[in-house]
Amino acid sequence: MTTNGRFPSPFEVPTPEGCEGWKDLYPYYYVFSEDRKEFEDKRFWFQDSMHHPEPLYPFDTITCESWWVALGQNNTRVFIVPPALGIDQRVLNGYLYITALPVANPDDIPARVGHFMERAGYYFQNWDRLYAQWVKKAEDTIAELKAIKVPDLPEMEDLETVVRAGRGITSAYDLVVAYNRAIENMYKIWQLHFEFLNLGYAAYLTFYGFCKNAFPDISDQTVAKLVSGIDVILFRPDEELKRLSQAAVDLGVAGVFKKTIQPDEVIAEMGKSDAGKKWLDELEKSKDPWFYFSTGTGFYHLHRSWIDDLTVPCLAIRGYIEKIEKGETLSRPTAEIRKERDRLAAEYTALMPTDEDKKAFQEQLGLARTVFPYVENHNFYVEHWHHTVFWNKMREFGKVLVKHGFFKEVDDMFYLHRFEVQEALYDLIGAWGSGGEARGPRYWPAIIEKRKALFEKLKAYAPPPALGEPPEVVTEPFTIMLWGITTDSIKRWLQPQGTGDSKQLTGFAGSPGLAEGPARVITSVEELKDVQPGEILVCPITTPSWAPVFPRIKATVTDIGGMMSHAAIVCREYGLPAVVGTGFGTKNIKTGQKLRVDGSSGTVTVLS
């Protein structure tokens, strides 16, 4: 897989057996190509297994294609981030690879600093006002998406609204417009996604650099502690589950969850009593918007949300009821974390040599704490609330195409790229308008069946973690802080699998503390039900909707992630040790093995 300290060239990686034709799934610009080989072969690419761990369904590329533009434009065209351009993307054998683009000429950086200070500085100085404005824009965008009506094509247009009202346009136009508005809406929410995000990271990284310069021996963990104790909206869905758990106990219907956690059975049992019906009323109060919470990253259509499937909420409520009945608290240790945070801030302020230095430290700290919640909050609005509505809105178009014979199943929609869906819709309205025959019913089913078989092959394929020649030293801050990719982790990737100390893994020290316990390796949300109290969660990454599992576990180990990854942030807020970005945790650790997780040093030891 690797030679001479480098990963394979994207032009040398063979197509997996049976996966011939995979490039047909994606637009021409999204794959490595001979005409851009000189550029592409010089870059270091890594697989984005944090956000896109699975092969990319053709339609689902709308999420990564959207952040490709939105992230980059805010660095390059809006805020003019001094050392960094955007993140480029390519697909190889169905998997997404990305590369951070630096400013090509270092001499350009000083001029960019001035632009950045003026533009980002305005946002930092007006953060609260602009953020309140952002929340309204995000909520309005979701409301616009919900309001889109997906019409079917009638045998005859309505006499009153079309003919007598002289409307002049028909359901064919409405259908195409509805699709285009929905696609534009996805582009729009991702524009908003990055309005603040890069600034949030930049403010934290500036504070991080200030601390490292002022206190060379300060640990990454201590810097993170100084901004911990946050109250973010991303915890609210979990808080709603705790509220529903307490309501079940108070109403005397907690026993329902001891009989079953199957959502349909829970609903049916609750409906048999007045107390149960009151609990169902409480459930309805929580659903909108807090159950628009994907069980995955939100980037894929196939990860359903709590609003679609109550399995995860029911599982979590049963666990919370058990804790309530044992007299255990459901609260996060926020007060203790804030007390420790404030103690550290006071001590480090006191160490500053001058009043001017003290003031600068406090200003940097205050800004980092102000912007830090956005790093988590945006995720609920975009990847969860909006995307849940979006995927279901797309299924409405899928139903129309199923009805007219283009697809066998609604979710066949996602085996077409969004541009292909537009072609199919035009084929449909062309035949409807002319009274002729659409080609789609004879064209798409065979292609979709072939693509389904191809996807099964791609899922079984193990993509190389990176492509091309890695830099001698990884310095790009987002790559390190978010993805957890460092010079050391790249060296581990370059080692042949099965070598080295199989009893110990190293990664990012995501959240401090020491814990020992049995491992529970899970790779999908369906396995969350298997996690037992006191176990150590070992997984590729965690997603926000996994929050209910954190009160049950002793520590977390992930394959992917850095200091700013979700797993690291959440574990710090729960006071749990975490080692993130180990690279091979889910491959090297087996369920039941006893582990020691040292979240302060970033090591995981297999004890037995």
Side-chain angles (χ1 to χ4, degrees):
M1 185 64 72
T2 59
T3 56
N4 300 323
R6 63 166 289 158
F7 297 92
S9 161
F11 298 90
E12 297 169 349
V13 178
T15 296
E17 185 177 351
C19 295
E20 296 77 12
W22 67 267
K23 289 185 180 181
D24 296 339
L25 302 174
Y26 310 105
Y28 74 93
Y29 53 78
Y30 220 36
V31 297
F32 292 97
S33 58
E34 288 292 334
D35 44 13
R36 288 191 295 194
K37 184 174 181 179
E38 184 176 354
F39 165 76
E40 292 167 338
D41 222 11
K42 290 179 180 175
R43 304 296 313 161
F44 170 65
W45 305 82
F46 61 92
Q47 197 236 322
D48 183 16
S49 55
M50 170 175 280
H51 303 104
H52 304 279
E54 301 170 58
L56 291 172
Y57 290 80
F59 194 93
D60 296 9
T61 63
I62 192 171
T63 56
C64 42
E65 288 191 63
S66 294
W67 75 251
W68 184 23
V69 176
L71 183 155
Q73 69 185 12
N74 277 288
N75 279 7
T76 58
R77 316 297 174 185
V78 180
F79 295 111
I80 323 298
V81 174
L85 301 180
I87 292 181
D88 214 350
Q89 303 184 358
R90 297 288 187 276
V91 179
L92 179 65
N93 289 336
Y95 290 83
L96 183 68
Y97 285 83
I98 59 178
T99 184
L101 300 177
V103 171
N105 184 356
D107 293 339
D108 293 339
I109 292 177
R112 294 172 66 88
V113 170
H115 292 302
F116 180 77
M117 294 298 289
E118 180 181 10
R119 294 167 181 235
Y122 184 82
Y123 262 70
F124 290 144
Q125 290 166 10
N126 296 277
W127 189 272
D128 290 342
R129 175 179 63 81
L130 292 171
Y131 180 62
Q133 185 175 297
W134 182 92
V135 170
K136 185 173 188 314
K137 287 187 293 188
E139 291 179 348
D140 286 349
T141 302
I142 295 167
E144 290 165 8
L145 179 61
K146 282 185 172 180
I148 293 173
K149 304 293 185 187
V150 182
D152 195 2
L153 301 174
E155 182 63 27
M156 186 184 302
E157 286 291 317
D158 185 69
L159 177 64
E160 292 298 327
T161 58
V162 176
V163 179
R164 288 181 174 157
R167 186 170 183 237
I169 53 179
T170 69
S171 302
Y173 174 81
D174 293 338
L175 183 61
V176 172
V177 168
Y179 181 73
N180 289 339
R181 293 296 89 78
I183 297 299
E184 290 165 8
N185 190 275
M186 175 61 99
Y187 297 154
K188 183 179 179 182
I189 200 70
W190 274 98
Q191 298 271 316
L192 297 177
H193 181 289
F194 280 99
E195 180 183 350
F196 282 81
L197 186 58
N198 295 359
L199 297 181
Y201 287 139
Y204 179 79
L205 289 169
T206 301
F207 174 65
Y208 176 88
F210 182 94
C211 290
K212 288 289 185 181
N213 185 54
F215 311 107
D217 295 331
I218 193 170
S219 69
D220 293 356
Q221 293 282 1
T222 301
V223 179
K225 279 185 176 181
L226 286 165
V227 298
S228 60
I230 57 176
D231 186 16
V232 296
I233 204 169
L234 207 56
F235 290 134
R236 180 65 182 274
D238 188 40
E239 295 301 318
E240 289 297 312
L241 297 184
K242 294 173 183 174
R243 186 185 72 80
L244 290 168
S245 303
Q246 187 65 58
V249 172
D250 294 344
L251 289 166
V253 293
V256 170
F257 289 94
K258 295 173 184 173
K259 290 182 184 175
T260 180
I261 56 170
Q262 293 298 320
D264 291 345
E265 295 175 3
V266 168
I267 301 298
E269 283 294 317
M270 289 293 185
K272 293 177 181 176
S273 67
D274 291 339
K277 290 175 182 174
K278 289 181 180 177
W279 186 87
L280 290 174
D281 290 340
E282 295 302 316
L283 174 64
E284 290 305 312
K285 293 176 186 175
S286 294
K287 279 185 174 178
D288 192 359
W290 308 115
F291 279 26
Y292 286 85
F293 211 38
S294 172
T295 53
T297 59
F299 289 83
Y300 291 84
H301 75 274
L302 70 167
H303 298 141
R304 305 311 297 268
S305 294
W306 293 3
I307 198 81
D308 305 312
D309 182 350
L310 289 170
T311 298
V312 170
C314 287
L315 173 67
I317 289 171
R318 182 180 68 177
Y320 284 144
I321 287 173
E322 291 171 357
K323 292 175 80 74
I324 292 170
E325 292 180 339
K326 290 178 183 176
E328 298 176 8
T329 180
L330 301 184
S331 302
R332 289 179 287 118
T334 305
E336 292 88 341
I337 290 170
R338 287 178 177 169
K339 184 177 179 181
E340 174 68 2
R341 174 193 74 180
D342 295 341
R343 181 189 68 78
L344 288 169
E347 288 182 2
Y348 278 98
T349 301
L351 291 174
M352 287 290 174
T354 68
D355 289 344
E356 187 176 342
D357 292 331
K358 288 181 171 65
K359 181 182 178 186
F361 177 74
Q362 285 293 328
E363 287 177 349
Q364 293 274 351
L365 176 59
L367 178 61
R369 286 181 179 173
T370 297
V371 305
F372 198 67
Y374 180 82
V375 172
E376 285 288 274
N377 281 348
H378 77 278
N379 195 273
F380 177 75
Y381 288 97
V382 179
E383 284 96 323
H384 293 274
W385 190 0
H386 177 277
H387 286 13
T388 297
V389 177
F390 179 81
W391 296 126
N392 286 336
K393 187 66 68 178
M394 290 302 105
R395 288 185 171 92
E396 293 183 41
F397 290 99
K399 288 177 184 174
V400 172
L401 289 164
V402 166
K403 180 180 177 182
H404 292 278
F406 282 58
F407 302 154
K408 291 181 180 176
E409 301 172 352
V410 170
D411 279 13
D412 287 352
M413 168 106 176
F414 302 112
Y415 287 90
L416 273 63
H417 192 271
R418 64 184 184 281
F419 301 150
E420 294 176 322
V421 172
Q422 195 163 42
E423 290 181 37
L425 289 173
Y426 215 87
D427 180 13
L428 174 63
I429 65 171
W432 176 81
S434 67
E437 185 174 333
R439 186 185 177 194
R442 290 183 174 83
Y443 182 79
W444 288 113
I447 291 176
I448 290 168
E449 288 307 308
K450 183 179 177 182
R451 290 182 178 183
K452 286 181 177 178
L454 175 57
F455 258 78
E456 292 306 308
K457 297 277 188 182
L458 291 173
K459 286 179 184 176
Y461 170 66
L467 305 167
E469 186 170 357
E472 288 187 14
V473 180
V474 178
T475 58
E476 203 286 313
F478 295 151
T479 304
I480 297 171
M481 302 298 287
L482 182 58
W483 278 277
I485 295 174
T486 64
T487 307
D488 288 340
S489 65
I490 289 175
K491 287 179 180 176
R492 291 198 299 275
W493 290 352
L494 285 165
Q495 292 176 356
Q497 291 290 295
T499 64
D501 183 1
S502 61
K503 295 291 186 183
Q504 190 167 78
L505 290 169
T506 58
F508 251 93
S511 180
L514 186 69
E516 292 185 5
R520 174 65 64 178
V521 181
I522 70 170
T523 56
S524 70
V525 67
E526 289 75 19
E527 297 171 305
L528 274 182
K529 65 181 185 308
D530 300 328
V531 177
Q532 300 300 313
E535 290 185 328
I536 292 173
L537 178 66
V538 181
C539 55
I541 59 168
T542 64
T543 71
S545 66
W546 292 18
V549 83
F550 285 94
R552 295 168 68 85
I553 60 176
K554 296 175 75 173
T556 299
V557 178
T558 69
D559 292 347
I560 302 295
M563 184 61 71
M564 298 286 277
S565 66
H566 175 73
I569 293 172
V570 172
C571 282
R572 289 196 291 270
E573 296 303 320
Y574 275 90
L576 295 172
V579 177
V580 296
T582 60
F584 307 103
T586 56
K587 292 183 174 64
N588 291 7
I589 297 171
K590 307 297 182 189
T591 291
Q593 286 184 315
K594 188 176 181 181
L595 305 181
R596 177 186 296 133
V597 178
D598 187 339
S600 301
S601 66
T603 58
V604 181
T605 305
V606 180
L607 299 174
S608 61

